[in-house]
Amino acid sequence: MSEKTVTTEEATATEHATSGISISRVGLYATLIGLVGFYLIPIESGLVTSIKTSTALQETFPFLPPLSASGITVEKWQVAFDFLAPGMVNSMLFTIPSTILCAILGSMAAYGLTLVDWRGQMAVLALFIAGIFVPYQAVIVPLFQFWSQYMQLGTRLSFLWGLPLLEPHYATILELIITHTAYGIPIVTLLFRSQYKTMSEEMIEAARLDGASVWRVYRRIVLPLSIPMFAVVFIFQFTQIWNEFLFSLTIIGSTNNPAASATLILSGLGQSMEGTDYPLRMAGAFITALPTLLVYVLFADKFAEGVQT
């Protein structure tokens, strides 16, 4: 075979390879662009709808901007924020404590169920796992009866409402904190346990041989190594509790309650005898979603690290 023939074949192979790579890249980019459009068009439609006037909303498709500048307004955002501000404060008051308590108690429970040996351990773990599969709908009636008929925290804690900065509706906030904490501990325990099962048993045993107590091992070794998983749990639980609606509806009951959460207020935002004000509702939806977006941004690095562990 001549040198010229070899060179021609190599050039042809290189050309085919280059052509193949180009086609595959075009297909990849087209798929990625399609997925981006698929997920972003609903968000874009919501944003565009939130800045339209009622007239512009009727004249254009949801994903298209107003036809003229007169169809653009930010009034809906201002009105939505005024309505949602008290509810967002209330949601923060029960979401942040519930998330922190779930993370701390779930980490301790996972440590005791994974790295500490004791009789009956598997039976208790089975109860935690069973708690994950209890649907919200199954506990609505018992939950309502428990807080409204048996506990009645508002009456039991009435001696506190005369103190500065304390209001009677904080009893409802406390009920939500306890409810979300109790309901979140099982899944959080399982998340922490998945990480603790990968920890070095030799390291834990060496600490015990050096005389470290169970609590000291947890505080000095296990807890520092759990920081990435705490970020995962914080994002997961914060999002779940912040967006939760059923417990708020069951315990709070009405948007007129001073303890009404953001999701409860949002459910009735824009409703009137004339119909639904979709721009106002869309603006409220984006305002309500801002705290969860902020949490993702702040804990993104630790979240990625925790997912990999």
Side-chain angles (χ1 to χ4, degrees):
M1 184 179 294
S2 64
E3 182 178 351
K4 183 177 181 180
T5 304
V6 174
T7 304
T8 304
E9 290 179 353
E10 291 179 351
T12 304
T14 303
E15 183 179 351
H16 284 300
T18 304
S19 177
I21 293 174
S22 298
I23 293 174
S24 64
R25 284 184 177 179
V26 169
L28 175 62
Y29 291 147
T31 303
L32 291 176
I33 292 173
L35 290 174
V36 169
F38 179 79
Y39 285 106
L40 290 185
I41 285 178
I43 299 176
E44 184 269 343
S45 300
L47 282 173
V48 170
T49 300
S50 68
I51 60 173
K52 289 181 180 179
T53 61
S54 299
T55 303
L57 179 67
Q58 297 174 359
E59 295 176 347
T60 58
F61 290 105
F63 56 87
L64 295 178
L67 299 177
S68 62
S70 60
I72 300 176
T73 179
V74 295
E75 180 186 359
K76 303 298 183 181
W77 284 77
Q78 297 172 349
V79 174
F81 181 79
D82 291 338
F83 271 99
L84 290 169
M88 293 185 71
V89 172
N90 291 332
S91 292
M92 284 290 184
L93 288 177
F94 68 77
T95 300
I96 294 177
S98 300
T99 302
I100 294 174
L101 286 173
C102 281
I104 294 174
L105 297 177
S107 173
M108 291 181 176
Y111 170 65
L113 291 169
T114 309
L115 300 176
V116 181
D117 294 327
W118 45 281
R119 181 178 298 179
Q121 186 177 33
M122 297 309 298
V124 175
L125 177 61
L127 292 177
F128 275 87
I129 296 175
I132 299 174
F133 298 99
V134 177
Y136 282 24
Q137 293 80 1
V139 299
I140 289 178
V141 174
L143 183 68
F144 177 78
Q145 293 178 340
F146 177 77
W147 289 122
S148 64
Q149 299 179 16
Y150 301 112
M151 289 302 296
Q152 298 182 350
L153 287 184
T155 303
R156 294 176 184 271
L157 301 178
S158 58
F159 63 93
L160 294 175
W161 310 139
L163 298 177
L165 303 178
L166 293 181
E167 301 291 340
H169 69 271
Y170 286 172
T172 306
I173 300 293
L174 182 58
E175 293 172 0
L176 286 169
I177 292 174
I178 297 173
T179 301
H180 284 297
T181 301
Y183 213 91
I185 286 177
I187 183 62
V188 171
T189 300
L190 209 62
L191 290 173
F192 275 108
R193 189 171 186 271
S194 65
Q195 182 193 15
Y196 293 166
K197 289 177 68 176
T198 64
M199 286 188 175
S200 173
E201 296 182 1
E202 291 78 8
M203 178 178 59
I204 303 296
E205 189 62 29
R208 291 171 180 166
L209 292 175
D210 288 339
S213 63
V214 173
W215 169 246
R216 189 177 182 87
V217 170
Y218 173 76
R219 185 167 55 90
R220 292 296 184 88
I221 299 177
V222 177
L223 190 59
L225 295 175
S226 304
I227 292 177
M229 185 55 68
F230 269 99
V232 173
V233 167
F234 190 86
I235 291 177
F236 177 77
Q237 280 299 107
F238 186 93
T239 304
Q240 292 291 319
I241 297 173
W242 180 270
N243 293 329
E244 197 279 325
F245 175 75
L246 198 55
F247 284 160
S248 296
L249 180 63
T250 302
I251 296 176
I252 299 172
S254 170
T255 57
N256 297 323
N257 192 313
S261 63
T263 54
L264 193 59
I265 296 175
L266 181 63
S267 66
L269 188 65
Q271 293 283 6
S272 64
M273 296 295 294
E274 292 77 17
T276 302
D277 189 341
Y278 289 105
L280 179 61
R281 175 160 289 193
M282 285 298 166
F286 280 102
I287 291 173
T288 306
L290 286 178
T292 56
L293 179 62
L294 182 61
V295 167
Y296 272 101
V297 172
L298 292 177
F299 295 94
D301 294 340
K302 291 296 182 182
F303 178 82
E305 185 180 345
V307 171
Q308 292 175 358
T309 56

